[in-house]
Amino acid sequence: MRVLLMMLVLALTGCKSMYNSDPAVVTEPILVGQTSKSHDIAYVWLPTANTGIKALYKEAFNNNMTEFSSQYSLSNHYNELQDHFDDFIIEQGGAFNHKTGELKVEVLLAGLTSTYKQMQKKHAAFEHLVVLHPVDYNTRVENGYAHWHGVKQQMVIVASSAVEYRDVMSLKVQYFDPIDEAFEYHLIGLDMHAPNLEDKTKYFDVIKHIFRPVSKLQAPN
């Protein structure tokens, strides 16, 4: 009863429910070598983001990116770059092998290289194209808190002895540069809740973590 009353108060005051809290980044900043930074945002999603509930997380993240770009006075080039990447993949017969169901790595790399060149053609200051790939994960939740892949997020106030395991969503983040053969990836948690398409600021801390290495993030307007 007490929890229900607390949720009602939060709803009436316009606060976010504890059932749908924001993920907070608790890991060290990502380092991407010596790179210049611009007031631009350049990223694409791999085709794995277009299926099932992952497509909804993608939409929720993109909604947050639109709001984030506006508040931080950044030029978001996502739409043009994603369209270029998707068109390239379609022209190559799709991203998945029809027999095995696996991704065609060579096609994806060629598509990213083409998109990178398109990015630099219009915006020469860009050095890295941020590539996002949603990843399913299962993590331990204790006392209402989950801590996974560098983020911490609250579910609900529960008894101190309560422990459960919960499916969560993470992002594999890569900073693509055609001449970087290593092309290492970084895992960062995204959400332990269902995607909320109405919350435009939920992933701001995660977005800052991902784009800080390549974009100038000044105080929001």
Side-chain angles (χ1 to χ4, degrees), residues 45-65:
W45 293 87
L46 292 186
T48 48
N50 299 328
T51 60
I53 195 171
K54 290 180 179 178
L56 295 180
Y57 281 110
K58 171 184 174 182
E59 183 176 352
F61 184 93
N62 285 343
N63 289 343
N64 273 234
M65 280 300 311

Side-chain angles (χ1 to χ4, degrees), residues 3-49:
V3 172
L4 291 176
L5 289 174
M6 189 174 298
M7 289 180 62
L8 178 59
V9 170
L10 288 171
L12 292 175
T13 58
C15 297
K16 295 179 181 179
S17 166
M18 287 177 293
Y19 284 93
N20 200 24
S21 60
D22 296 348
V25 175
V26 292
T27 190
E28 294 297 318
I30 298 173
L31 300 178
V32 190
Q34 297 296 323
T35 179
S36 62
K37 298 184 179 183
S38 68
H39 294 284
D40 298 88
I41 292 290
Y43 73 103
V44 295
W45 293 87
L46 292 186
T48 48

Side-chain angles (χ1 to χ4, degrees), residues 146-196:
H147 186 177
W148 83 102
H149 292 158
V151 301
K152 189 173 184 179
Q153 191 174 15
Q154 185 178 12
M155 183 176 67
V156 64
I157 296 176
V158 293
S160 60
S161 60
V163 174
E164 65 171 299
Y165 287 85
R166 187 179 182 92
D167 291 333
V168 295
M169 186 61 61
S170 293
L171 292 178
K172 179 185 287 187
V173 183
Q174 294 173 289
Y175 300 88
F176 182 75
D177 182 341
I179 64 174
D180 182 5
E181 296 181 357
F183 195 28
E184 298 178 353
Y185 69 85
H186 309 263
L187 278 173
I188 185 69
L190 180 65
D191 212 339
M192 67 183 293
H193 306 295
N196 182 354

Side-chain angles (χ1 to χ4, degrees), residues 43-50 58 77-96 103-119 129-133 176 183:
Y43 73 103
V44 295
W45 293 87
L46 292 186
T48 48
N50 299 328
K58 171 184 174 182
H77 304 282
Y78 163 73
N79 288 325
E80 61 177 297
L81 296 177
Q82 188 72 59
D83 287 346
H84 181 92
F85 178 72
D86 292 343
D87 289 344
F88 182 96
I89 296 298
I90 292 173
E91 290 174 0
Q92 301 304 311
F96 296 92
L103 285 169
K104 301 176 184 176
V105 177
E106 296 82 1
V107 171
L108 291 180
L109 288 176
L112 291 174
T113 299
S114 177
T115 305
Y116 182 91
K117 291 180 179 178
Q118 176 73 7
M119 175 188 75
L129 174 67
V130 179
V131 181
L132 302 178
H133 169 61
F176 182 75
F183 195 28

